[in-house]
Amino acid sequence: MSSRKYVTHRANGTDDKTYKAERSPSAPSRVLHVRKVPIEVSEAEVISLGVPFGKVTNLLLLKGKNQAFIEMASEEAAMTMVNYYTTATPHVRNQPVYIQYSNHRELKTDNLPNQGRTQAALQAVTAMHSGNMSLSGTATASDGGMMPGQSPVLRIIVENLYYPVSLEVLHQIFSKFGTVLKIITFTKNNQFQALLQYADPLNAHHAKVALDGQNIYNGCCTLRVEFSKLTSLNVKYNNDKSRDFTRLDLPSGDGQPALEQTMQTAFGAPGIISSPYPGAAGFAPAIGFPQAGLSMQTMPGALGPLTIPSAMTGRMAIHGMAPTAIHSVLLVSNLNPDTISPHELFILFGVYGDVHRVKILFNKKENALIQMADATQAQLAMNHLNGQRLYGKVIRVTISKHQTVQLPREGQEDQGLTKDYSGSPLHRFKKPGSKNFLNIFPPSATLHLSNIPPSTTDDFLKDLFGSSGYAVKAFKFFLKDRKMALIQLGSVEEAIQALIHLHNHDLGENHHLRVSFSKSTI
């Protein structure tokens, strides 16, 4: 551990004492050492790194050395700050900075030049975060904007969940607006939701204004953001469903990966999920939000701020948001070997992506491999179908170690258990930008019917499902026309089987019935 040292030089005829850089890790202290600080940084930007965690009582900015020292009012606040920034690297002016405990117990800067400017910056930033001063462009209470005492906790709903949205993805998006302390994710009413707690209500206000209604990926994964009635979140476990970024000591819970196993890949470097697409860094310069020392990219494009033009990928909207890279082959187990067929798996998994190949294992017919068009569709199918009941069995869906499904060699016995569907006309997602991308929902007892001929009656459709062995609980045509309808069956399992059997059913008049799961009820 390095000892306390000074560097003395003369400025304006007086001795100017500043602290020499510390390299070795130190015991907890309310003084924090910040390294790699951009030379053009302001006092307010550095102070803003600490304000979300508590009162900042002093600052020493060494621009020539690209360093700073922040003194917090309490050691507890400093520990919370270090814990947080251990897992989420802070950025100042788009540059990563690194924070550790200082060897110094306090900062003595009374005789230093520019101390008056430092104190003014401290007062200004503190006032801004106390709600006495609004940021540039921020609505005040009199403007009908943020009200005093507003919660730092946001409730987030992700609609049109075509691609999976992880806790890490939410953290990357929302941390652009301030320090995210805690996140809890869950599914309610068949919707992926989250509760997210900022260190400061002002951060929550900015995030709500900027992100409500935005798409994470082009045309899907729409964010609905509102203030929660809660003012604080109680997180018991650090895992893929919940996270307290100030408490790395929390257990992971049964069956969950330990936090340290995922933390390095998720938060170890700036730009948590790097974009694999060329040109992603060449958009408009970042607009800084000084309350957190972080920044957000504002992009041109048809979908408004935060979007990347759809010509690039057709599936990206918020900068850096690329669906997680995984294999595109799924392993499905615990199937009913007496009833399942490759065609039925093709129809069911085709609700969530384009199925290219299906292979029911010759010696273990309760297992099958399903190759999707891409890895994100595989992830989506797994998220929605794992744990569902199919022909009386609860199926398990996981990512396979295989990268492709091999077709049988000529002359090899297969009994028709392997099928290639890569050229099938029944793929739902062949057309880029298809509205089918926007209508993907978890399995439900209510099915959406479309492509219905004009002459078809409700009795005909109810009889079609009833004669196939399904209990029809309710039915209604859409009001605008009779091309679409909703039908509610007795259970989710029944609806899954009905979709498998009746999707693409020939209704006559050159119309084949299209069946999908609905988010609505009748």
Side-chain angles (χ1 to χ4, degrees), residues 85-278:
Y85 287 135
T86 297
T87 62
T89 303
H91 286 62
V92 175
R93 301 208 173 199
N94 281 333
Q95 298 297 318
V97 298
Y98 302 93
I99 297 176
Q100 63 190 52
Y101 296 116
S102 167
N103 289 334
H104 310 296
R105 313 309 299 174
E106 62 179 342
L107 290 179
K108 295 181 180 179
T109 59
D110 295 345
N111 296 325
L112 296 184
N114 299 324
Q115 188 58 18
R117 190 172 72 181
T118 298
Q119 289 302 317
L122 277 168
Q123 293 173 10
V125 176
T126 301
M128 179 180 70
H129 280 264
S130 299
N132 298 326
M133 190 175 177
S134 63
L135 289 173
S136 175
T138 301
T140 62
S142 60
D143 296 327
M146 192 180 70
M147 301 300 292
Q150 202 164 56
S151 172
V153 179
L154 294 175
R155 179 169 175 255
I156 303 156
I157 298 174
V158 183
E159 297 179 347
N160 299 326
L161 190 70
Y162 179 65
Y163 289 113
V165 175
S166 66
L167 184 149
E168 283 79 10
V169 166
L170 291 176
H171 181 273
Q172 181 183 357
I173 296 168
F174 283 82
S175 65
K176 302 296 184 183
F177 294 91
T179 302
V180 176
L181 299 183
K182 304 171 186 177
I183 305 177
I184 299 173
T185 64
F186 55 96
T187 300
K188 184 177 180 182
N189 299 328
N190 284 332
Q191 288 182 312
F192 177 79
Q193 302 189 29
L195 293 169
L196 183 146
Q197 181 181 343
Y198 277 106
D200 192 302
L202 196 61
N203 304 149
H205 171 74
H206 279 286
K208 180 184 183 300
V209 170
L211 294 176
D212 186 32
Q214 293 289 347
N215 292 334
I216 300 177
Y217 309 112
N218 274 355
C220 64
C221 299
T222 306
L223 293 169
R224 301 298 178 196
V225 185
E226 59 189 44
F227 289 104
S228 171
K229 295 179 181 178
L230 300 172
T231 56
S232 181
L233 298 179
N234 181 24
V235 176
K236 295 181 179 179
Y237 302 109
N238 279 335
N239 53 42
D240 61 342
K241 302 295 183 186
S242 62
R243 197 75 53 84
D244 184 337
F245 295 100
T246 69
R247 292 279 311 278
L248 300 186
D249 58 314
L250 291 179
S252 63
D254 292 340
Q256 297 290 351
L259 181 62
E260 57 268 19
Q261 294 174 359
T262 59
M263 195 58 78
Q264 183 63 36
T265 55
F267 298 105
I272 301 162
I273 303 177
S274 60
S275 172
Y277 302 102

Side-chain angles (χ1 to χ4, degrees), residues 12 44 68 165 183 259 359 402 410 433 482:
N12 298 326
V165 175
I183 305 177
L259 181 62
K359 182 183 188 72
H402 298 286
E410 188 175 349
R482 297 171 67 87

